[in-house]
């Protein structure tokens, strides 16, 4: 089968690789209908060392079950499914506590050990606990929104939950990528009164406003902090959704959250430590991590199916497998917000 293989920073190729196949009795093989490139995929695109093993990329997908292992009970060939970015058994103590990304038998897609989904097919470990069965659809816009439930919409929702977004409260979303924009949707859905999107790309912040953002702060650093504080009577916001993962974005988050507020971190961190003094003396809660999106699908899916939320609008470019390398380039160069892949 054909798949996307990353060899080193900037080196993405479409190659023939061994067909996805059942390895363990708890596996399923999914024929990929839609996949996509994630903002987190850009980190190895920028800095993967040539000494590291190549890997089949991609951790977000929807598709059709092609085969199932002998121990799989809830799925059949032909089922249309959402594949979360992490696999989990759904039965361990942590899964039962809705922390599926910490499953004792779990892991992540798109690494040298577990191949990813920017491919014609993907092997899914722990299929019963991982895959979420939905009704098949030919509606292109709905397919995009269903695909976001595999990662970015669930991750934006996780940021909002971790930041304790609530009715009537103020929220700042740091980052105008797909996760940040989905964070705006999540904050609006949870009843936030003021939602400040912090980003520098006019097309993205305009979409954020359509999703529910009330204010835009396009500056950075101290100027951005001052603007957020001006919008909140000097106190800062109740909740910050940190959707970037850089040290600067975390520092900004610390500077704009009000005392007693909370920060939900979902940007993959590229810094060493959280500055503890800032959060301690202001009684600020810092929470978050890899979103347990499998646990959120049941809550978010009805709003997607009813059209109450339309997270699929974050996709602004569609490519086939041959177009994936240029899709990486386009996202890295900020020419595209989020690229959908149709294998």
């Amino acid at each position: 089968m054909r798949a996307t293989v990353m060899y080193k920073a900037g080196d993405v190729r479409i190659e023939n690789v061994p067909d996805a196949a059942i390895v363990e009795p708890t596996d399923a093989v999914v024929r990929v209908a839609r996949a996509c490139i994630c903002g987190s995929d850009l980190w190895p695109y920028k800095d993967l060392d040539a000494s590291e093993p190549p890997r089949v990329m991609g951790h977000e997908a929807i598709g059709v079950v092609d085969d199932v292992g002998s121990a799989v009970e809830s799925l059949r060939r032909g089922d249309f499914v959402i594949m979360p970015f992490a696999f989990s058994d759904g039965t361990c103590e942590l899964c039962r506590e809705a922390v599926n990304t910490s499953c004792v038998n779990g892991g992540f897609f798109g690494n040298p050990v577990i191949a990813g989904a920017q491919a014609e097919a993907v092997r899914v470990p722990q299929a019963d606990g991982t895959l979420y069965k939905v009704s098949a659809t030919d509606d292109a816009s709905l397919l995009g929104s269903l695909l976001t439930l595999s990662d970015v919409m669930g991750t934006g929702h996780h940021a909002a939950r971790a930041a304790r977004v609530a009715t009537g409260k103020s929220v700042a979303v740091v980052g105008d990528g797909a996760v940040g924009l989905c964070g705006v949707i999540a904050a609006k859905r949870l009843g936030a009164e003021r939602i400040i999107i912090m980003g520098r790309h006019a097309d993205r912040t305009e979409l954020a406003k359509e999703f529910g953002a009330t204010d835009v702060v396009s500056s950075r650093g101290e100027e951005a902090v001052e603007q957020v504080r001006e919008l909140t009577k000097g106190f800062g916001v109740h909740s910050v959704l940190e959707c970037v993962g850089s040290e600067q974005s975390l520092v900004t988050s610390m500077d704009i959250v009000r005392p007693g507020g909370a920060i939900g971190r979902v940007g993959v961190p590229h810094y060493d430590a959280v500055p503890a003094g800032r959060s301690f003396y202001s009684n600020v809660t810092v929470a978050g991590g890899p979103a347990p999106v499998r646990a959120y699908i049941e809550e978010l899916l009805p709003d997607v199916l009813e059209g109450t939320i339309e997270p699929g609008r974050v996709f602004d470019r569609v490519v086939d497998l041959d177009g994936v390398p240029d899709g990486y380039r386009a996202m890295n160069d900020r020419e595209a917000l989020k690229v959908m892949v149709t294998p």
Side-chain angles (χ1 to χ4, degrees), residues 13-34:
R13 311 175 198 176
I14 305 304
E15 296 189 338
N16 289 316
V17 301
D19 288 348
I22 301 297
V23 176
E24 301 291 340
T26 50
D27 290 348
V29 172
V30 172
R31 185 173 73 254
V32 177
R34 297 289 189 279

Side-chain angles (χ1 to χ4, degrees), residues 208-296:
K209 289 162 66 176
E210 294 177 23
F211 283 161
T214 56
D215 304 272
V216 176
V217 170
S218 57
S219 51
R220 278 184 164 185
E222 286 301 320
E223 185 179 356
V225 172
E226 290 174 9
Q227 289 178 13
V228 172
R229 290 195 169 276
E230 286 175 7
L231 291 168
T232 54
K233 301 179 181 179
F235 292 108
V237 293
H238 296 93
S239 304
V240 181
L241 281 55
E242 194 282 288
C243 303
V244 179
S246 69
E247 184 173 7
Q248 181 58 58
S249 65
L250 181 63
V251 169
T252 296
S253 299
M254 292 287 190
D255 288 342
I256 62 175
V257 68
R258 69 194 287 141
I263 298 170
R265 302 162 56 217
V266 294
V268 179
H270 281 67
Y271 48 83
D272 292 331
V274 175
R278 293 171 185 256
S279 58
F280 180 81
Y281 288 103
S282 295
N283 285 286
V284 167
T285 299
V286 181
V293 299
R294 180 60 175 79
Y296 294 140

Side-chain angles (χ1 to χ4, degrees), residues 17 26 43 54 58 72 88 136 143 145 165 180 196 198 241 272 274 288 300 307 326 332:
V17 301
T26 50
W43 291 112
V72 175
S88 54
L143 285 173
S145 288
V165 174
I196 304 167
M198 303 183 72
L241 281 55
D272 292 331
V274 175
L300 298 172
D326 191 61
N332 189 59

Side-chain angles (χ1 to χ4, degrees), residues 21-30 67 69 72 75 83-90 103 105-111 113-116 122-131 294:
I22 301 297
V23 176
E24 301 291 340
T26 50
D27 290 348
V29 172
V30 172
D67 198 6
V72 175
L75 300 162
M83 185 198 87
F85 69 85
F87 59 88
S88 54
D89 63 23
C103 174
N105 294 308
F108 299 90
F109 294 96
N111 56 68
V113 178
I114 303 295
V122 59
R123 170 191 166 233
V124 180
Q126 304 295 340
D128 277 326
T130 302
L131 297 172
R294 180 60 175 79

Side-chain angles (χ1 to χ4, degrees), residues 45 55 81 89 105 114 136 151 159 185 209 213 237 260 274 290 298 317-318 333:
Y45 185 74
R55 69 280 320 268
V81 293
D89 63 23
N105 294 308
I114 303 295
D151 187 346
I185 294 174
K209 289 162 66 176
V237 293
V274 175
E298 187 168 0
R317 185 171 298 197
V318 180
D333 293 346

Side-chain angles (χ1 to χ4, degrees), residues 92-102 158 291-293 295-296:
C92 79
E93 183 171 344
L94 295 174
C95 285
R96 293 197 303 270
E97 293 175 354
V99 195
N100 304 63
T101 42
S102 295
H158 186 54
V293 299
Y296 294 140

